[in-house]
Amino acid sequence: MSALHQDMSLLRRLYTGESVQQARRAVGRLQDGASPIPEATSSAQRCLEARVLLALLEFRNVYTRFPLGITSVHPEPHGIALAVESEERATELLFNLLPSYAEDHEVCGVPGLRITRRDQTAIELKVLGEPARVRLNGLPARVWRSAETSMLTKWIDPDSMQLCWRSSPRTWTVAEQQHNAQWEDGSDHYVQVTKAGAWLASGLLRRAALLHTVANTFLVDGYRGAAFDVKRLVLRSSHTHEQ
């Protein structure tokens, strides 16, 4: 490996938290002049990653060793893999991403998102009909199943909520379609601003390991906002003396 590839591999590893071998393989596949950390190539992928980062920032009820509860990321042009630290963090993440609906309320989670693949140590989530996916790994299949069960028993009332991702695994529900028509109208100015700024949250998610170096891990949170025609993402880090 050349000195340039070595430097690029170490840089990628600093940003992503991948192993040395993973970073080297990823850099070895790059075309000349390509960035060691690729951007998401589709708007749909950027928007999904922005929603994932927001969920990681805003919904935190457990302490984690790593920032956001993510030990490493593996970014690719058409998707991203996140290594999740624990079952508790996996439960939170699934609860806040998988769509559910209570009558006379908005759809919670990401409309159209479904679990489309299960492996020994990972599950894959995709937005139906769109080129957007995120792979959650780092935990055995039985733990992912347990996280789903915990989510349903802790925070969801099956008598009052429709679990879109379970009741309609291959098609969007009517509630999801209506939600998108109302809140994701491409002609709406706020929606345009939000989508135009999705590159920021997507880029930060693809570099999540940088937070290992700048913050007390379990105290990082944040929120998203839009003002003056600009998308804004605020990350807050609380520090304790001598830590």
Side-chain angles (χ1 to χ4, degrees):
M1 175 176 285
S2 69
L4 176 60
H5 275 204
Q6 178 74 6
D7 290 344
M8 292 177 67
S9 299
L10 293 175
L11 179 64
R12 177 176 169 119
R13 183 169 182 263
L14 174 66
Y15 277 60
T16 64
E18 296 169 305
S19 68
V20 173
Q21 292 79 7
Q22 287 175 317
R24 284 178 176 172
R25 285 195 296 268
V27 169
R29 293 193 295 265
L30 292 177
Q31 301 293 325
D32 289 343
S35 169
I37 301 177
E39 296 181 3
T41 54
S42 71
S43 174
Q45 184 67 36
R46 288 192 292 272
C47 288
L48 175 59
E49 292 179 16
R51 291 290 300 270
V52 171
L53 181 66
L54 189 64
L56 289 169
L57 286 170
E58 289 193 327
F59 304 102
R60 297 179 54 75
N61 296 298
V62 296
Y63 291 133
T64 57
R65 178 184 175 191
F66 291 90
L68 311 179
I70 301 299
T71 62
S72 67
V73 300
H74 180 68
E76 297 179 338
H78 304 290
I80 189 170
L82 308 177
V84 183
E85 177 181 318
S86 65
E87 179 179 344
E88 292 79 11
R89 199 64 178 118
T91 301
E92 287 186 335
L93 190 54
L94 292 178
F95 173 72
N96 290 293
L97 289 179
L98 292 173
S100 58
Y101 172 72
E103 191 171 356
D104 297 327
H105 290 78
E106 296 178 16
V107 172
C108 298
V110 179
L113 192 68
R114 301 292 187 270
I115 299 175
T116 57
R117 182 176 177 180
R118 299 177 187 272
D119 296 326
Q120 290 185 347
T121 60
I123 60 175
E124 186 170 275
L125 309 178
K126 294 186 70 174
V127 178
L128 297 174
E130 296 184 0
R133 63 184 177 87
V134 58
R135 182 176 174 84
L136 305 177
N137 58 29
L139 302 171
R142 61 174 179 78
V143 175
W144 287 112
R145 291 285 189 185
S146 178
E148 290 179 53
T149 302
S150 297
M151 170 186 68
L152 296 173
T153 56
K154 283 183 178 180
W155 299 314
I156 292 179
D157 180 2
D159 295 328
S160 64
M161 299 191 73
Q162 176 188 6
L163 308 179
C164 305
W165 53 283
R166 277 197 164 187
S167 63
S168 184
R170 293 180 176 82
T171 59
W172 288 53
T173 63
V174 173
E176 291 172 296
Q177 293 171 350
Q178 293 175 342
H179 178 96
N180 252 30
Q182 181 176 0
W183 299 107
E184 299 296 334
D185 182 0
S187 64
D188 181 81
H189 180 66
Y190 178 81
V191 172
Q192 292 173 354
V193 170
T194 299
K195 289 186 175 180
W199 66 270
L200 174 59
S202 171
L204 285 172
L205 183 66
R206 288 169 172 253
R207 296 159 175 81
L210 275 181
L211 292 175
H212 298 195
T213 67
V214 300
N216 288 350
T217 58
F218 55 84
L219 293 175
V220 176
D221 67 354
Y223 62 91
R224 180 182 65 182
F228 306 109
D229 293 338
V230 176
K231 170 106 174 267
R232 183 173 60 179
L233 184 65
V234 179
L235 276 70
R236 298 177 296 213
S237 163
S238 299
H239 294 269
T240 303
H241 181 59
E242 294 182 350
Q243 289 190 12

